[in-house]
Amino acid sequence: MAMENALLKEKVSNLEKKLAASVKEKAFNRGKAFSSLSPSRRDTESKKSEIFCFLYLKGFPQTGQHSEWMVMKDQLCQKINAGQATVQPIESEDEKIKKVLLAKDNALLNDAGYHELKMVPGSGLPSLSKLKKERKRQNAAIPIEPIHTEKEGHEQLTSCMKSIFQEMKDLERNGLDYNGRHFKIEWLVCSDWKFLAILLGLSGARAKYFCIWCRCSKEQILDFLINSWDISRNHEEIPALLQKKKQKKECFGHNNEPLIHVPFDRVVVDTLQPLSKNNGKLLNQVFL
């Protein structure tokens, strides 16, 4: 039994070497070098190579021009040319790098952790330098530039971020085409309370109507008879409320035209700032 396993292992190993040699050098393409073929032709020849190896394992050795091997080979090649073959093409190194990078990002694995996995013997993972190169290439698809402004206010943000807001609007309307695929864009905004209030044209956290999402007032904040405060703000009502502000009527904290038109249910306040403020207040209560 051990001898049979050893022979089988050797047979598979030799078969893999033949497959690699055929794909890289000849690819069963009448003597043409594999590197000289077009990408689509390379894909087809790679499929053929896998089929030949599949037939070999099934017991159809290549013994002659008129053997059963050649008959089945021709039938399968016809299916390939007709787009009916089910054998998957050999995965290129670039495709493997993209898949590994996506899995790494989804798992929130940092570079140091990935390097440790790469060092495990037999891992077969691409090098970290190749992943960094691919990540840099993908990041270049949407360039990010720093924005400088002396004051954080509605007028300043309108002036210095006008092009960015317009680009966000265009992307949400038209989507993004990348690498032969079309992606639909839906924005979610997360920031500290002050910046969000400016973006949405609302009053600050100390105003009477302070809430980003609803019309809760300072007088109602401790009214526990109110069961819940649902997200009631919406962009459709803003023009009418701004008109009321001009007439010096109640506008529920809407002071300016929103700089972005992201629905209020896709707006999130960063929890770090409220947490630090609350901790500071609690510490004052303890020590004072």
Side-chain angles (χ1 to χ4, degrees):
M1 186 68 179
M3 183 177 295
E4 291 179 0
N5 290 337
L7 291 174
L8 179 60
K9 184 177 181 181
E10 182 181 0
K11 183 177 180 180
V12 172
S13 177
N14 292 334
L15 186 59
E16 290 176 346
K17 292 179 181 179
K18 289 181 181 180
L19 173 61
S22 65
V23 170
K24 291 181 179 179
E25 297 176 6
K26 301 297 181 181
F28 297 96
N29 193 47
R30 298 179 182 177
K32 288 186 178 180
F34 187 71
S35 58
S36 66
L37 303 179
S38 64
S40 60
R41 188 62 178 169
R42 292 183 191 181
D43 180 61
T44 300
E45 296 302 331
S46 298
K47 288 181 180 179
K48 289 182 180 179
S49 300
E50 288 194 5
I51 288 177
F52 297 156
C53 291
F54 170 77
L55 290 174
Y56 185 84
L57 286 174
K58 288 295 184 181
F60 296 99
Q62 188 176 5
T63 57
Q65 184 70 22
H66 303 290
S67 64
E68 191 174 0
W69 159 280
M70 298 301 294
V71 175
M72 293 193 67
K73 183 198 74 171
D74 292 338
Q75 292 176 352
L76 290 173
C77 288
Q78 290 176 4
K79 289 184 178 181
I80 289 176
N81 296 329
Q84 301 174 354
T86 58
V87 178
Q88 296 296 325
I90 297 176
E91 187 177 49
S92 66
E93 185 178 12
D94 290 342
E95 292 174 344
K96 183 177 181 180
I97 291 173
K98 291 177 183 178
K99 288 183 179 180
V100 172
L101 181 60
L102 178 61
K104 175 180 175 296
D105 291 343
N106 289 339
L108 302 179
L109 181 64
N110 60 18
D111 291 346
Y114 178 82
H115 178 70
E116 294 297 325
L117 291 177
K118 174 66 177 69
M119 297 304 293
V120 175
S123 66
L125 294 172
S127 64
L128 181 59
S129 61
K130 292 181 179 179
L131 260 64
K132 288 182 176 180
K133 184 177 179 180
E134 174 62 21
R135 183 169 58 199
K136 184 177 180 180
R137 186 191 69 81
Q138 293 182 11
N139 289 340
I142 303 180
I144 300 176
E145 299 179 0
I147 297 172
H148 303 282
T149 177
E150 296 180 359
K151 183 180 178 182
E152 191 178 22
H154 190 271
E155 294 182 3
Q156 288 75 15
L157 292 181
T158 303
S159 175
C160 68
M161 298 182 66
K162 183 178 180 180
S163 60
I164 296 177
F165 297 144
Q166 184 61 44
E167 185 176 3
M168 290 176 61
K169 188 176 181 180
D170 293 340
L171 282 172
E172 186 161 17
R173 183 191 301 115
N174 304 320
L176 176 67
D177 294 319
Y178 178 74
N179 200 21
R181 297 178 61 187
H182 181 77
F183 296 89
K184 183 180 178 181
I185 305 296
E186 291 185 356
W187 294 106
L188 287 88
V189 180
C190 179
S191 176
D192 61 81
W193 199 296
K194 179 182 178 181
F195 189 72
L196 274 180
I198 295 173
L199 288 180
L200 298 172
L202 298 172
S203 301
R206 296 184 179 182
K208 178 180 178 181
Y209 293 97
F210 59 91
C211 186
I212 297 290
W213 301 280
C214 68
R215 296 180 178 181
C216 178
S217 66
K218 281 188 174 181
E219 291 77 12
Q220 296 171 309
I221 194 171
L222 294 177
D223 188 353
F224 296 105
L225 296 178
I226 301 175
N227 293 327
S228 64
W229 289 98
D230 299 327
I231 298 177
S232 57
R233 294 191 188 272
N234 59 78
H235 287 276
E236 288 74 16
E237 67 178 4
I238 292 178
L241 292 174
L242 291 178
Q243 189 64 30
K244 287 185 177 181
K245 177 179 173 58
K246 293 180 180 180
Q247 300 171 359
K248 296 184 179 181
K249 296 181 180 180
E250 188 60 75
C251 60
F252 301 103
H254 288 278
N255 297 323
N256 298 291
E257 184 72 24
L259 299 178
I260 57 174
H261 291 273
V262 177
F264 285 89
D265 58 357
R266 297 212 300 263
V267 173
V268 182
V269 176
D270 181 16
T271 58
L272 177 61
Q273 188 181 36
L275 182 63
S276 61
K277 291 284 186 181
N278 292 338
N279 288 342
K281 288 292 184 182
L282 291 174
L283 287 174
N284 288 338
Q285 295 294 328
V286 171
F287 293 108
L288 297 180

